[in-house]
Amino acid sequence: AIAAAALLSLTVACAAPAADLQSGWDFVIAAWNPPYTTDAEYQVYREAGFNLVMHPRYDLPDRALELARKHGLRVMIDTYTPNDKPWGGTAGPYTPHPSHHPATLPELKWLHQRYGKHPSLAGYLLGDDYGVIPAELIETTQFLRDNAPHLFPWICQNNMNARSLAEAGNPFQDPQIYPTLYQKDWPA
């Protein structure tokens, strides 16, 4: 059970996405840690009941999307990229981080132009471990709302701040409720 909890990230929809995205889904069962982009891994994930997988961070999603199509899975593109390697060669402004950043608007447009119509695409991870949503994530969420309302604009928060997601027009709350190693001695 602990291993399954570590692999699963159950995403709760706060606003219903377009019907075609969830066709055949009762709910999303997602693998937060992406499988290796091999045929065998994607087959195992599908047979285990997953219907959504992340694609490996910093990689282009071509192989993940094709394997997902073959195995009846959907893909959430992780838009994080090293600071010195922006998607498409040009980054917009972003909140500083020592090593990487999620796609800024020019980068998301570049990714979406290339992969936005792929039948296995479920959406984009626009940000991870945020509390209050910064301006650049509001901008990328709005772009998806305006141009691809059938795709998930996912921002993963490390606290329960549904108001900031609602203000950004982002329909998901993923509270990441799990203990850290620093909390291992806390009572249950």
Side-chain angles (χ1 to χ4, degrees), residues 75-136:
V75 172
M76 183 72 67
I77 293 177
D78 184 335
T79 70
Y80 275 80
T81 187
N83 288 337
D84 62 345
K85 296 180 182 176
W87 299 115
T90 304
Y94 58 87
T95 304
H97 183 277
S99 61
H100 64 204
H101 66 275
T104 60
L105 187 57
E107 294 170 287
L108 183 62
K109 286 180 176 179
W110 185 88
L111 286 166
H112 189 64
Q113 180 181 24
R114 281 149 187 79
Y115 304 106
K117 294 185 184 200
H118 196 285
S120 293
L121 180 62
Y124 300 91
L125 172 65
L126 300 178
D128 189 18
D129 292 335
Y130 283 93
V132 175
I133 307 301
E136 64 270 19

Side-chain angles (χ1 to χ4, degrees), residues 158-159 175-188:
N158 58 2
N159 63 22
Q176 294 191 19
I177 299 172
Y178 50 80
T180 68
L181 292 176
Y182 303 108
Q183 298 167 329
K184 69 180 182 338
D185 296 324
W186 289 14

Side-chain angles (χ1 to χ4, degrees), residues 31-38 42 53-65 67 75-81 87 125:
W32 171 251
N33 290 326
Y36 291 106
T37 48
T38 66
Y42 276 62
V53 295
M54 294 293 291
H55 101 282
R57 186 165 277 186
Y58 310 138
D59 287 340
L60 289 172
D62 301 82
R63 180 134 174 86
L65 288 165
L67 285 169
V75 172
M76 183 72 67
I77 293 177
D78 184 335
T79 70
Y80 275 80
T81 187
W87 299 115
L125 172 65

Side-chain angles (χ1 to χ4, degrees), residues 156-171:
C156 194
Q157 290 190 301
N158 58 2
N159 63 22
M160 295 293 279
N161 195 339
R163 171 175 268 165
S164 69
L165 286 173
E167 289 169 352
N170 195 298

Side-chain angles (χ1 to χ4, degrees), residues 7 17 47 49 53 64 142 146 160:
L7 288 175
E47 289 173 0
V53 295
Q142 190 60 51
D146 293 344
M160 295 293 279

